[in-house]
Amino acid sequence: MGDYFPNVKKINYEGPDSKNPLSFKHYRADEIILGKTMAEHLRFSVCYWHTLKNMGADPFGPGAIIREYNHSSDPMTVADQTMDAAFEFFAKLGVGFWCFHDRDIAPEADTLAETNKRLDTIVAKAKKLQADTGIKLLWGTTNAFSHRRFMAGAGTNPSPDVFAYAASQIKKAMEITCELGGEGYVFWGGREGYDTLLNTDMGRELDHLALLLQMAVDYKKKIGFTGQLYIEPKPKEPTKHQYDFDSGNCYAFLQKYNLVDHLKMNIEANHATLAGHDFCHELEYCAANGILGSVDANRGDLLLGWDTDQFPTNLYDTAQAMYIILRNGGFTTGGLNFDAHVRRQSIDTDDLFHAHIGGMDAFARGLKIAAKMIEDKAFEQAVTERYKGWSGELGAKIEKKQVGFEELEAYTLKHGEPKIQSGRQELLENLLNEYL
Ligand code: XLS
Ligand code: NI
Ligand code: NI
């Protein structure tokens, strides 16, 4: 491990009264909530691409952040030092997991063979650091969107040669994820979408995307990789219209191509809002359909309207998100991965710690609030009450498919105008605020 963050020691829980900004006020890894530790519930993960590699570049200028591990002119020295810095950071923060894209951890060389060799070198190092620290890989993924060869997509590229390149890259990324004991593997559609329909055969592109995923499912079996596969929906950016628009859209795609048993969703908060939903809508949709897998924990900025990938700080969101996640049985293979980066002006290494500490405390509070909401059953009772008609005779007959239009018409003619009830939204919103 490195010594790239010398000013920061291990971050400890000091409680809500502490004035030390480099401490947790709410996240106490071993505190038991509803029968599990906070660490087991929250399964925090640091992402390599933002936390280690993002230097604050935006569409108007290059990065403004300078990191000690990033100085060498030799790209493999940078990769090696970055891995040391990464594990120093993970360990000081006290997270259990990390995530990476293949190209984050080792730079691309002139040929695929040479690139894969570089990956092997870095993966051997990561494996050792994982063993030394006990930090595990939540998921791995492929960057098949940055290189110019992927400008028109990877699986949906008009060229089968580019499709083949993407497949080769995913093959290797799945192998190294398996080698590192990864608990999952993510497919974010990168540039799988279109900028104009005038040059696009949408039906064919969707068929190809499904073929690529089917190959991944087959190869997973072949190499004995037992991690969970996920799709990460996102509606736009970089293309005007990404095919994996939202979880509803992805679910339809998976069903059409018989992939639904093999992939779950990795829901990113900022992608949910870009799709015109909110974070909780996407989580609840997945929970309702048995496809909730993992979470990219971040937030957007309503006024900017793009994927700003900010750290989550909003308790209203984290509490309601944890309420959904807990009622769905909690995470199994998934976790809360901070797919978030500090702002361009946050140039100090301390800022990286403040960002993650804030996100972890926001979710720790969310967890505690959600646990209390579950224990009190107030919201559960309100929902049960609202649907209680369905436990009566008529509701049961409809749900059991014992009646059709004719029987329901006869019932309505007999009983007349239905009784209606208040939705009680304001009451419930006020109640939620009592918990915050
Ligand atoms: C980009 C995505 C990406 C995925 C992993 O918007 O969020 O970071 O999480 O490829
Ligand atoms: Ni993401
Ligand atoms: Ni994002």
Side-chain angles (χ1 to χ4, degrees):
M1 255 190 295
D3 192 15
Y4 294 100
F5 307 102
N7 300 335
V8 182
K9 301 198 174 52
K10 173 104 177 62
I11 308 297
N12 292 314
Y13 171 78
E14 293 184 9
D17 295 332
S18 169
K19 294 279 174 273
N20 174 11
L22 290 170
S23 73
F24 295 117
K25 312 284 184 299
H26 304 279
Y27 178 63
R28 191 183 210 162
D30 56 6
E31 182 177 334
I32 306 282
I33 309 266
L34 298 178
K36 282 205 281 189
T37 66
M38 289 183 97
E40 286 164 344
H41 275 296
L42 297 166
R43 294 168 59 87
F44 287 126
S45 159
V46 171
C47 86
Y48 212 88
W49 54 100
H50 285 322
T51 298
L52 279 306
K53 304 291 288 182
N54 187 303
M55 300 299 153
D58 70 15
F60 301 93
I65 297 170
I66 295 164
R67 301 267 187 244
E68 282 298 316
Y69 53 79
N70 211 16
H71 282 165
S72 171
S73 55
D74 170 41
M76 279 306 277
T77 304
V78 170
D80 186 83
Q81 292 179 348
T82 306
M83 191 58 77
D84 279 325
F87 276 83
E88 180 191 347
F89 184 81
F90 306 156
K92 283 186 169 166
L93 193 63
V95 289
F97 298 93
W98 66 301
C99 290
F100 67 85
H101 297 86
D102 47 6
R103 300 301 177 250
D104 303 332
I105 57 172
E108 196 157 345
D110 291 340
T111 66
L112 183 66
E114 198 50 43
T115 302
N116 286 350
K117 252 196 237 157
R118 287 181 168 187
L119 271 173
D120 290 337
T121 307
I122 293 294
V123 165
K125 181 180 178 94
K127 196 172 180 183
K128 175 158 189 323
L129 287 165
Q130 286 193 157
D132 292 349
T133 57
I135 293 161
K136 296 195 239 165
L137 181 63
L138 189 67
W139 48 262
T141 187
T142 314
N143 179 336
F145 45 86
S146 292
H147 193 282
R148 65 193 290 277
R149 77 174 72 85
F150 297 121
M151 65 182 183
T156 62
N157 200 285
S159 154
D161 287 16
V162 177
F163 182 101
Y165 204 104
S168 318
Q169 203 179 316
I170 294 169
K171 172 180 177 290
K172 181 68 179 173
M174 288 180 82
E175 288 164 6
I176 60 175
T177 299
C178 182
E179 168 75 8
L180 290 170
E183 300 197 8
Y185 188 90
V186 164
F187 293 90
W188 169 56
R191 293 180 194 272
E192 315 293 22
Y194 64 86
D195 294 319
T196 170
L197 284 174
L198 297 175
N199 65 11
T200 302
D201 184 341
M202 188 193 287
R204 201 164 192 182
E205 290 200 358
L206 288 167
D207 288 348
H208 293 169
L209 188 57
L211 286 171
L212 189 69
L213 291 177
Q214 185 60 55
M215 286 179 198
V217 167
D218 295 344
Y219 195 63
K220 177 187 156 178
K221 255 186 232 142
K222 178 145 197 207
I223 61 174
F225 174 50
T226 55
Q228 173 65 47
L229 304 181
Y230 308 102
I231 289 195
E232 181 177 325
K234 182 175 183 180
K236 51 193 165 193
E237 282 188 10
T239 67
K240 166 171 108 153
H241 194 114
Q242 301 273 125
Y243 291 133
D244 301 333
F245 189 92
D246 62 4
S247 54
N249 184 292
C250 290
Y251 190 43
F253 171 85
L254 293 178
Q255 290 182 88
K256 175 178 176 190
Y257 294 102
N258 291 320
L259 287 161
V260 81
D261 293 339
H262 304 289
L263 290 109
K264 289 187 173 168
M265 296 297 138
N266 180 40
I267 295 301
E268 177 166 324
N270 202 165
H271 297 180
T273 49
L274 285 176
H277 302 307
D278 61 23
F279 184 28
C280 288
H281 166 83
E282 284 291 84
L283 294 175
E284 187 75 38
Y285 179 87
C286 291
N289 288 290
I291 50 171
L292 180 53
S294 200
V295 167
D296 272 4
N298 63 11
R299 74 171 209 275
D301 184 311
L302 277 183
L303 298 184
L304 286 173
W306 49 289
D307 197 14
T308 57
D309 288 337
Q310 286 166 250
F311 277 83
T313 51
N314 186 339
L315 301 185
Y316 206 73
D317 284 342
T318 60
Q320 292 186 79
M322 288 315 298
Y323 184 64
I324 297 167
I325 292 165
L326 289 178
R327 281 186 303 127
N328 191 52
F331 290 122
T332 51
T333 53
L336 293 170
N337 172 50
F338 291 115
D339 192 349
H341 57 88
V342 293
R343 298 304 88 192
R344 193 165 186 263
Q345 295 181 56
S346 302
I347 57 174
D348 293 343
T349 50
D350 284 12
D351 294 317
L352 265 190
F353 284 92
H354 295 311
H356 289 81
I357 290 168
M360 290 165 79
D361 267 347
F363 267 97
R365 285 178 82 179
L367 169 64
K368 287 189 216 171
I369 294 164
K372 189 92 181 53
M373 286 162 66
I374 287 175
E375 277 167 349
D376 291 355
K377 293 196 164 67
F379 295 93
E380 192 187 316
Q381 275 160 7
V383 174
T384 307
E385 176 63 24
R386 188 158 189 241
Y387 291 85
K388 73 169 188 290
W390 290 94
S391 312
E393 205 190 325
L394 175 67
K397 274 189 179 158
I398 297 173
E399 285 189 345
K400 288 184 188 144
K401 299 181 183 160
Q402 288 166 352
V403 289
F405 277 179
E406 284 147 330
E407 292 81 1
L408 293 178
E409 183 193 45
Y411 178 93
T412 303
L413 288 171
K414 186 169 164 205
H415 289 86
E417 190 59 29
K419 257 207 251 146
I420 55 170
Q421 56 180 339
S422 166
R424 299 241 180 273
Q425 180 171 340
E426 295 80 4
L427 174 93
L428 293 169
E429 285 171 349
N430 293 353
L431 184 62
L432 177 59
N433 274 358
E434 307 259 314
Y435 285 84
L436 291 177

